[in-house]
Amino acid sequence: MTGIPLNIDLQQIMLHLFNFTILFGALYILLYKPVKDFMAKRTDYYADMDKRAEDALREAQTSKEAYDEKVKNFDEEARTERANMNKEVSEQRERQLAQAKEEAEKIVSDARTEANREKDEIIASAQKEITEMVTGAMEKLTLEQSASDAFDQFLDAAEAQ
């Protein structure tokens, strides 16, 4: 080995290179590839989890929007229903007021009719009493006048004799 400077053996370098290549291939097959596959699976797993979380979030947002819409519709329906109920209550109150007014008018009308009937009875009774009193007074007056006239005639006849 006289011709190689610095004591470098080409065969030794080739053997080291061959060993290094085998070591590299073995490490690649035994360590790098499984770790790379594990990392790829883990990345896929977390990507899938992220996708499912985004889908769940999207679904939750859709559900929330639907819920908000339902709440809004419920509020509108409740407001409409409340307005309808208020309208019905107002109409019912108006009907009851009208009915009460009709009943009051009927009661007042009946009371007036009854009062007029009683008034007519009282007036008729008073007229009857007045007529009886006038008749009685006239009879008394007539009797007194006829008695007075009869007495005057008697006196006149007695004087004439």
Side-chain angles (χ1 to χ4, degrees):
M1 302 221 168
T2 53
I4 301 180
L6 298 174
N7 204 12
I8 298 177
D9 186 10
L10 196 57
Q11 188 179 11
Q12 281 281 335
I13 292 175
M14 290 306 234
L15 277 174
H16 284 299
L17 268 169
F18 180 70
N19 281 338
F20 179 75
T21 306
I22 292 174
L23 179 66
F24 181 78
L27 288 177
Y28 179 81
I29 291 172
L30 293 175
L31 292 178
Y32 181 74
K33 190 172 180 188
V35 169
K36 184 178 172 187
D37 290 344
F38 173 77
M39 293 302 285
K41 285 180 186 176
R42 188 171 180 186
T43 303
D44 291 343
Y45 173 75
Y46 283 114
D48 186 48
M49 276 183 62
D50 189 41
K51 183 181 176 194
R52 280 187 280 146
E54 287 177 4
D55 290 343
L57 180 63
R58 210 173 305 115
E59 185 177 325
Q61 286 175 343
T62 305
S63 297
K64 183 183 180 282
E65 289 171 1
Y67 174 77
D68 288 343
E69 186 67 28
K70 285 181 182 179
V71 167
K72 181 181 175 185
N73 290 340
F74 177 76
D75 287 343
E76 289 176 14
E77 288 176 15
R79 197 174 306 115
T80 303
E81 188 66 28
R82 195 175 313 121
N84 288 341
M85 288 179 148
N86 286 339
K87 184 179 178 183
E88 287 179 20
V89 167
S90 295
E91 290 173 357
Q92 182 68 21
R93 186 178 63 226
E94 291 298 323
R95 283 194 297 266
Q96 287 178 347
L97 282 174
Q99 187 178 18
K101 284 181 182 180
E102 288 176 9
E103 288 178 13
E105 287 175 5
K106 184 176 185 260
I107 291 170
V108 168
S109 175
D110 290 347
R112 283 186 181 150
T113 304
E114 183 65 25
N116 284 336
R117 186 187 60 76
E118 287 180 10
K119 178 181 142 191
D120 291 343
E121 286 177 5
I122 291 171
I123 289 174
S125 173
Q127 284 178 344
K128 183 178 176 186
E129 288 177 14
I130 291 172
T131 304
E132 287 175 0
M133 287 174 38
V134 168
T135 305
M138 287 301 280
E139 285 176 1
K140 283 184 186 179
L141 189 59
T142 306
L143 279 176
E144 285 179 12
Q145 281 184 351
S146 41
S148 177
D149 285 341
F151 183 68
D152 285 342
Q153 287 175 357
F154 174 73
L155 288 178
D156 287 340
E159 277 179 21
Q161 287 180 357

